[in-house]
């Protein structure tokens, strides 16, 4: 949880350390993988996509924020179609989320 708070405050270094600790002590908890993957994605570092795939798997694809981050990582890795499909899943999980809706509209425009 401290990793999530650090991430929300933009303290990426602290969030990464806490996320790494969380994945080691609780590898079954999606939040640690999400924090670690999100920081790596923000830094365009290796491992972001794998971390976020693990987080999505552990959350049974029921966490819209994790799905959004995974979609962004897929797109950054050049997996545009997979990113769009994942972002649509995020929208289904969080149908009222304005940020996800806006991002989805933007991506769908660039696809056509």
């Amino acid at each position: 949880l401290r990793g999530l708070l650090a991430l929300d405050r933009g303290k990426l270094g602290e969030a990464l350390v806490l996320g790494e600790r969380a994945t080691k002590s609780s590898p079954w908890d999606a939040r640690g993988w999400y924090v670690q993957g999100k920081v790596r994605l923000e830094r365009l570092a290796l491992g972001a996509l794998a971390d976020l795939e693990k987080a999505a798997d552990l959350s049974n694809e029921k966490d819209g924020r994790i799905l959004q981050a995974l979609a962004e990582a897929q797109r950054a890795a050049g997996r545009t179609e997979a990113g769009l499909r994942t972002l649509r899943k995020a929208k289904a999980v969080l149908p009222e989320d304005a940020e996800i809706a806006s991002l989805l509209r933007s991506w769908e425009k660039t696809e056509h």
Side-chain angles (χ1 to χ4, degrees):
L1 291 175
R2 287 185 298 158
L4 289 169
L5 293 172
L7 184 62
D8 285 344
R9 286 187 242 132
K11 296 181 177 185
L12 298 183
E14 180 182 342
L16 182 59
V17 168
L18 292 167
E20 288 171 344
R21 240 186 255 156
T23 60
K24 285 180 179 67
S25 66
S26 302
W28 59 88
D29 190 336
R31 293 172 296 186
W33 294 102
Y34 167 73
V35 169
Q36 185 173 284
K38 184 74 172 163
V39 171
R40 288 180 174 168
L41 178 61
E42 292 289 324
R43 293 180 170 178
L44 300 176
L46 292 176
L49 182 56
D51 290 342
L52 293 165
E53 287 173 335
K54 180 80 171 175
D57 183 50
L58 289 169
S59 70
N60 295 315
E61 297 190 351
K62 301 279 190 239
D63 186 306
R65 288 288 158 238
I66 290 174
L67 291 171
Q68 178 185 357
L70 174 57
E72 292 170 357
Q74 289 169 325
R75 192 168 170 98
R79 296 174 50 198
T80 308
E81 281 299 315
L84 193 53
R85 281 191 307 273
T86 303
L87 191 59
R88 286 181 179 134
K89 288 179 188 177
K91 176 77 170 124
V93 172
L94 296 173
E96 302 299 320
D97 188 279
E99 181 182 351
I100 292 174
S102 175
L103 190 58
L104 183 57
R105 280 191 303 274
S106 171
W107 288 10
E108 287 175 336
K109 282 182 187 175
T110 61
E111 288 299 305
H112 299 287

